[in-house]
């Protein structure tokens, strides 16, 4: 049993699946793991998997609210849990890292994106509030949620199965 709780990140083509309520449980589990190691760090479940009924990739996106000088410490906490640094051409910078991982929950493997969002940073300082605000707006407005769901389905139906292209295709609407 001695390994870290977070496993490697499986890379899959972008696909829109129906919302899986287990994503909420996974987000809570990971937030609890972070809190055990570093109490006081605010971890919020953001993205499509945080909105009941919203289809998507069912990736558990977590927004982690930290001061800019806390980014290295929070990164180390996540690496200690088993998360891996994002790499490649489109990787987020070290000042606003995205760490990747997965966890087995209720018989399924769930992919996780842990976004460290430095509050007040000159470039990234509003990311956390923006993502939480979008989540809350989608939760509160069924018509808005349905419009976003239709857009996501049309992106994939149009042949966009690359995760980067899928994300970029949604950006203007967001």
């Amino acid at each position: 049993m001695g390994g870290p709780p977070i496993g490697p990140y499986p890379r899959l083509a972008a696909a829109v699946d129906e919302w899986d309520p287990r994503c909420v449980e996974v987000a809570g589990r990971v937030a609890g793991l972070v809190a055990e190691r570093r109490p006081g760090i605010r971890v919020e479940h953001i993205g499509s998997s945080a909105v009941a009924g919203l289809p998507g990739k069912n990736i558990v996106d977590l927004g982690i609210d930290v001061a800019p000088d806390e980014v290295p410490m929070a990164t180390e906490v996540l690496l200690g849990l088993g998360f891996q640094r994002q790499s490649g051409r489109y990787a987020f910078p070290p000042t606003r890292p995205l760490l990747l991982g997965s966890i087995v929950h209720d018989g399924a493997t769930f992919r996780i994106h842990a976004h460290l969002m430095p509050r007040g940073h000159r470039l990234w300082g509003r990311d956390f509030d923006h993502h939480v605000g979008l989540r809350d707006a989608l939760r509160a407005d069924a018509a808005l949620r349905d419009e976003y769901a239709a857009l996501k389905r049309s992106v994939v139906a149009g042949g966009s199965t690359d995760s980067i292209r899928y994300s970029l295709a949604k950006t203007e609407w967001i």
Side-chain angles (χ1 to χ4, degrees):
M1 289 202 73
I6 303 298
Y9 184 80
R11 300 219 177 257
L12 305 170
V16 176
D17 297 315
E18 292 308 309
W19 180 73
D20 188 335
R22 296 176 298 177
C23 289
V24 175
E25 298 165 2
V26 168
R29 271 184 69 187
V30 177
L33 290 167
V34 171
E36 286 173 8
R37 284 150 182 85
R38 194 65 180 207
I41 293 179
R42 184 174 172 201
V43 178
E44 288 282 338
H45 186 191
I46 58 172
S48 299
S49 67
V51 181
L54 182 61
K57 296 183 289 182
N58 282 321
I59 292 173
V60 177
D61 280 297
L62 301 174
I64 303 171
D65 181 40
V66 293
D69 64 345
E70 295 174 323
V71 169
M73 170 275 303
T75 299
E76 289 304 314
V77 168
L78 293 171
L79 291 172
L81 288 169
F83 280 97
Q84 301 163 345
R85 294 178 193 274
Q86 180 195 32
S87 61
R89 183 176 182 186
Y90 300 107
F92 280 79
T95 53
R96 198 259 190 232
L98 166 62
L99 287 97
L100 307 172
S102 67
I103 196 165
V104 176
H105 178 76
D106 196 25
T109 299
F110 289 84
R111 295 179 290 166
I112 308 164
H113 290 177
H115 297 268
L116 288 164
M117 300 175 169
R119 89 181 75 82
H121 186 276
R122 65 184 182 78
L123 294 176
W124 315 109
R126 295 178 53 193
D127 274 3
F128 184 82
D129 292 336
H130 170 80
H131 285 277
V132 170
L134 176 61
R135 176 203 65 196
D136 291 349
L138 292 168
R139 284 177 173 174
D141 186 333
L144 190 65
R145 183 185 66 235
D146 293 346
E147 180 182 334
Y148 188 38
L151 169 68
K152 293 161 76 116
R153 287 187 176 108
S154 73
V155 168
V156 172
S160 205
T161 59
D162 173 76
S163 290
I164 299 294
R165 288 189 177 148
Y166 172 81
S167 293
L168 291 174
K170 302 179 309 177
T171 299
E172 184 177 350
W173 185 93
I174 292 171

